[in-house]
Amino acid sequence: MGLARLPSRPRQRFPRSLHAQLILSLLVLCTLVAGTSAFVLLEHARESRIAELDERANRIADLLGQSLAQPLWNVDRDAIARQLNALQPNPEVVRLTVTATNYGVLADARNAPMPAPDRQVVRVRPIEFAPPGDVPAEKIGEVSVVLTKALAERGFETARAAVLATLALVLAVLYLTTFLLTKHLVREPIRRLEDMVDRIASGDLDSRCAIESSVELGRLASRVNVMADRLRESTASLRESERKYRSIIEHSLEGFFVLDRNGKLCEANPAMVQLLGYRDIESMKAALAHEVPAVRVLRPPFSAATTAHLFSMLPLTGKIAGLEIQLTRADGSAVWCQLNARGIRYDGAGPRYLEGQLTDITDRKQAMEVLTRHRDQLAEEVRERTRTEQLLRHSREQLRQLSSHQESIREEERRQIAMTIHDELGQLLTAIKINVSLLKLALSQGADWKQKVADIGHLAERTIDIVRNVASHLRPAALNFGLLSALEWLVQDFTHHNATACSFRLEGREPALSDDRATAVFRIAQEALTNVSRHAHASHAEVVLRCVHNHFELEVHDDGCGFDVTKAVRGNSYGLQGMRERARMIGAQFQIESRDGPGSTVRLVFSETPENVGRGLPADNEFK
């Protein structure tokens, strides 16, 4: 089989010979390398000079900012002008300006007209005066330094021109030398090698190239001779391989086919004919090409839509691997197959043919569907069980933490009560005892006893107040008179002990609650106000108790800074957990509305009976 020589397309703007291409490529490469190197070196030198100029501007500005502090503090214009004039002779200095905070511009020394903004280096430094002692430094003005880049850039123009001239001369000499060498060593041997390769490509496999040297071109000629020998051997081997391939395809249990993009079946083996239920290959080709007579209509296995879909998948990876597809048999029944295919013979529009293999997986597909249904059911049960276990573990952990927190609170309350009794109540009782002893002594000596009696009465009143405060802390006495009285007392006590104003409002009737439920509602309101006092930084808070239909709502809201509720819950806020747990114990709905903005609201919805209140909001809106 001969290999046809493809005609080359005419190239108008690039040399056609390899010799000219090599010379031109070398010239371009050398030009790019040399030009880039020269440009990089010049730019590096220029940037170094500009960097030095920037550093000089920084040093001048820092020096003036430090040295002008004392003269500027004393408003000594002469001293300031002398320091500026000392730097003015520098040819790179354009302008030096000293500005006082309260007096404006005190000194302005100009050395040259102002250059363009892109040729300026401007530095502004504050001038601070540090009085003796620990008094902090005070900004009393600023100094502005303007330098020009013109002198730094002027020296590079001459160097750039000299480098470019030298580069052009070197490239010209290099081009001429390389042209003569490549013409003698490369161009002529390649031309002779091209003639011999053309003879081999035209089908003359007995032709051989003459080996003229041992360098690369000689080794290339040797490789061409070896290629001709192997091409002759591979031609015979190809015919044998084709015979074996035909035998394998014909006797294979898998269906092999070749399909073009128009839906025409070009090749198929007997296994595919049997898989799709056709009588022979010709009838299947006719069915796919829509050429079956009307007296016996056979449905094609590959519809037009299926064919278009398969060819649309090829541009992604060039092949189709393990695609499960449902085809139509000759009798109209469906068959599930696994398709492995690849595109062959590409042109401008993509692959012209689809070469593939079909495997019947109908039984496996049905079994997989049954297994998938069982697996999905099992996975759903496992997910539900896992979710339940996670909720239980989370609830148990929260209860453990809350219990530990409540125990620590109880211990803290016991410690506070013990300290109050020991430090305050004990001292008062000791003072009463001492005063009683002094009273006895005064009575026995006939001294004035009225003042001692007054002191004892005052100490007794303070003792009673401490006992009352301890008792109110343990359980407010107002709860004995109902939830409404307890909330009113709580608001008054909060207003008395905090800078935040607080008010209470009742809308509707008062709820009739048991002692335990009233105590839980009271503690939730108390904890909400405690959080307002500690964290809200609010100017006003309000407690509202309203009756809505057959249930009650308790709201505690403020105009404070608000907070991220989700972050607080994740951070194990025991106050929030305690309020939520108390609400759960009395069957109430607990909700917090807040964000990083103005205000937050704590809402508790409960009924007079211990039954659970129907939630007005989904569970995931409990904190938002």
Side-chain angles (χ1 to χ4, degrees), residues 40-191:
V40 170
L41 292 176
L42 289 174
E43 285 299 318
H44 178 71
R46 179 179 176 274
E47 291 176 359
S48 299
R49 176 60 179 167
I50 297 300
E52 292 176 359
L53 186 63
D54 290 342
E55 183 63 25
R56 186 176 299 109
N58 288 332
R59 290 198 301 270
I60 294 174
D62 293 338
L63 177 62
L64 291 177
Q66 296 175 4
S67 62
L68 292 176
Q70 186 66 37
L72 186 60
W73 177 262
N74 299 324
V75 195
D76 188 351
R77 298 176 182 268
D78 294 335
I80 295 174
R82 285 195 301 271
Q83 293 193 30
L84 297 185
N85 292 332
L87 295 174
Q88 191 173 3
N90 191 336
E92 295 177 340
V93 176
V94 177
R95 183 177 184 180
L96 300 174
T97 306
V98 178
T99 306
T101 302
N102 298 323
Y103 297 95
V105 177
L106 292 183
D108 188 5
R110 300 191 180 186
N111 208 19
M114 291 294 291
D118 59 341
R119 293 181 173 269
Q120 297 179 8
V121 178
V122 182
R123 293 294 182 272
V124 178
R125 293 291 186 273
I127 301 176
E128 296 180 347
F129 179 75
D134 297 333
V135 180
E138 178 184 358
K139 179 180 178 181
I140 59 175
E142 63 181 17
V143 58
S144 174
V145 178
V146 181
L147 304 185
T148 179
K149 299 180 181 178
L151 297 177
E153 294 179 349
R154 193 176 300 160
F156 293 101
E157 300 298 332
T158 305
R160 185 181 293 109
V163 169
L164 293 178
T166 305
L167 177 62
L169 179 61
V170 171
L171 290 177
V173 174
L174 179 63
Y175 175 79
L176 180 61
T177 304
T178 307
F179 178 82
L180 296 176
L181 291 176
T182 54
K183 181 178 180 181
H184 176 70
L185 299 177
V186 178
R187 183 176 179 181
E188 292 301 325
I190 288 180
R191 185 187 59 79

Side-chain angles (χ1 to χ4, degrees), residues 205 208 225-241:
L205 299 181
R208 295 295 181 268
N225 293 337
V226 174
M227 179 189 67
D229 294 337
R230 293 180 178 177
L231 183 60
R232 183 172 54 186
E233 296 173 359
S234 62
T235 301
S237 177
L238 181 61
R239 295 191 180 95
E240 180 64 19
S241 298

Side-chain angles (χ1 to χ4, degrees), residues 423-436:
D423 296 341
E424 298 185 16
L425 188 59
Q427 292 179 6
L428 291 174
L429 292 176
T430 302
I432 292 174
K433 181 179 178 181
I434 294 172
N435 283 327
V436 169

Side-chain angles (χ1 to χ4, degrees), residues 188-260:
E188 292 301 325
I190 288 180
R191 185 187 59 79
R192 292 190 294 271
L193 187 60
E194 285 179 348
D195 295 338
M196 189 59 63
V197 170
D198 290 340
R199 292 175 58 186
I200 296 175
S202 62
D204 187 4
L205 299 181
D206 295 329
S207 298
R208 295 295 181 268
C209 299
I211 301 176
E212 300 177 355
S213 65
S214 60
V215 294
E216 284 79 1
L217 291 178
R219 292 196 295 270
L220 178 59
S222 176
R223 297 293 191 280
V224 172
N225 293 337
V226 174
M227 179 189 67
D229 294 337
R230 293 180 178 177
L231 183 60
R232 183 172 54 186
E233 296 173 359
S234 62
T235 301
S237 177
L238 181 61
R239 295 191 180 95
E240 180 64 19
S241 298
E242 183 179 2
R243 184 190 64 80
K244 293 180 179 179
Y245 169 78
R246 289 279 181 187
S247 176
I248 293 173
I249 295 299
E250 293 294 332
H251 297 89
S252 175
L253 299 178
E254 309 293 337
F256 291 90
F257 66 95
V258 176
L259 185 71
D260 69 1

